Amino acid sequence: MNQIIQWLLFLIPLASLLLMKEKVLKRFLPVALFVTLVNTLFYQAAYHYNWWRELGLFDWDKVANIPWVYSAYLIATIWIFKFTYGKFKIYLLTNLILDGVYVYLWYPILQKLGLAFSEMSSHISYLLMIGVAVLIYLFQIWFEKDIQESTNQS
């Protein structure tokens, strides 16, 4: 059962890209890759300091959980930006709700299934996730401003 959950977490987000327009994907892929880098670094710190551990899909993904970091988070970032970018209050509210559902509802289920364990408090995890959400929103503002300035100089 755990393997099925892991595979679904990996494949469903990737399959959802078939529903996305190429223009949207190109616009928000940089911020999705940036959040993937940030999450990878967080997962490495978590592994080193034993903050949390998550059962991986593959034998070699002991540090950063492949289905979450390289599929679900990455693709969810694109979808969230598609619907909320340019409306910060809606973006923040969306992240407050989704991150809350993840930390306080979904993660405890993963723990009961033996897919995860955490030494870090749920409240600290939630604050980290909201901090990352704000950071990547600022990244997208910076990135689009930089692209616009480059286009205007050409």
Side-chain angles (χ1 to χ4, degrees), residues 146-154:
D146 191 53
I147 294 292
Q148 189 174 37
E149 287 174 1
S150 296
T151 304
N152 290 341
Q153 291 177 357
S154 298

Side-chain angles (χ1 to χ4, degrees), residues 20-62:
M20 189 171 292
K21 292 181 180 176
E22 185 178 342
K23 183 177 180 181
V24 172
L25 185 60
K26 284 182 179 181
R27 180 179 183 190
F28 297 121
L29 187 58
V31 73
L33 293 174
F34 178 66
V35 80
T36 300
L37 173 65
V38 170
N39 282 331
T40 299
L41 294 173
F42 269 123
Y43 269 77
Q44 287 179 342
Y47 186 82
H48 180 75
Y49 294 108
N50 210 30
W51 293 337
W52 69 77
R53 297 279 165 96
E54 296 174 357
L55 185 67
L57 181 58
F58 307 103
D59 290 335
W60 46 266
D61 68 339
K62 304 252 185 278

Side-chain angles (χ1 to χ4, degrees), residues 99-110:
D99 292 344
V101 167
Y102 176 80
V103 167
Y104 297 110
L105 297 175
W106 180 246
Y107 206 76
I109 291 170
L110 292 177

